[in-house]
Amino acid sequence: NGGILDLQATRSVETENITSNGGNVRVRGDAVAVGAIDSSRPAGTGGAIDLTAGVGGVTAGSLNASGAIGGNISVNSSAGISALDVNSSATLGNGGIVSLNAIGNIQLGFINPQGGSEGTGGNVDITTTGLFRSNSVFNDISGNNSSISTLGGTGAGAIVIRHGGGSDRPFVVG
């Protein structure tokens, strides 16, 4: 059983890869730069991942809170967010909630909060005053290549994307 890893600083925080085996991971600082974070727990609940930058941006490797039940992933930035793949999927129960909130642009790989055979997919809530871009795909449970999929065995989660693209930068899907 994983514990809680809580890193807080009055300035910037930089780390290498973090593995917590189902424990919660929270990193807070003026700016946050972390490697991959793996709080997955295949036979249990993935640990929650919470990254918050108070002044600068968040840069992260892959964020993995998957498990039999997916853990929640929250990334908040007073600037932009740049990360690799985000995975809060479940093999049995509900997928975890993914929440991304930034003043600047958000760019990452894929977002996978799919639910397991007996659960629903987790909700995805993305808010940015800049632009949002998902640059990678995965094969979801329906067999489709997806950048974001909230499917689950008993139902799907919601996907909400709010961005500041305006009329000269329309929202493009596909």
Side-chain angles (χ1 to χ4, degrees):
N1 292 332
I4 296 174
L5 175 62
D6 190 357
L7 302 173
Q8 298 186 49
T10 56
R11 299 200 186 235
S12 298
V13 176
E14 292 185 38
T15 71
E16 294 294 323
N17 297 341
I18 298 171
T19 300
S20 70
N21 194 25
N24 296 339
V25 175
R26 184 169 81 168
V27 181
R28 297 182 185 281
D30 284 350
V32 173
V34 296
I37 297 178
D38 186 349
S39 65
S40 64
R41 179 112 190 196
T45 300
I49 298 173
D50 180 4
L51 307 177
T52 301
V55 177
V58 172
T59 303
S62 296
L63 305 176
N64 183 3
S66 64
I69 299 170
N72 296 334
I73 298 175
S74 176
V75 182
N76 297 287
S77 171
S78 295
I81 296 171
S82 178
L84 296 178
D85 300 332
V86 176
N87 182 4
S88 64
S89 65
T91 56
L92 183 63
N94 294 337
I97 296 168
V98 174
S99 175
L100 308 172
N101 189 339
I103 301 296
N105 294 337
I106 298 174
Q107 180 169 306
L108 44 80
F110 62 69
I111 301 174
N112 179 6
Q114 293 180 107
S117 58
E118 299 176 14
T120 62
N123 293 335
V124 173
D125 189 313
I126 299 167
T127 301
T128 177
T129 58
L131 301 175
F132 168 73
R133 178 178 292 172
S134 178
N135 294 321
S136 188
V137 296
F138 65 98
N139 195 3
D140 72 13
I141 60 176
S142 68
N144 293 315
N145 285 331
S146 300
S147 291
I148 304 172
S149 177
T150 61
L151 294 175
T154 63
I159 300 173
V160 176
I161 301 174
R162 298 173 203 85
H163 70 96
S167 62
D168 62 330
R169 294 184 181 141
F171 186 75
V172 177
V173 177

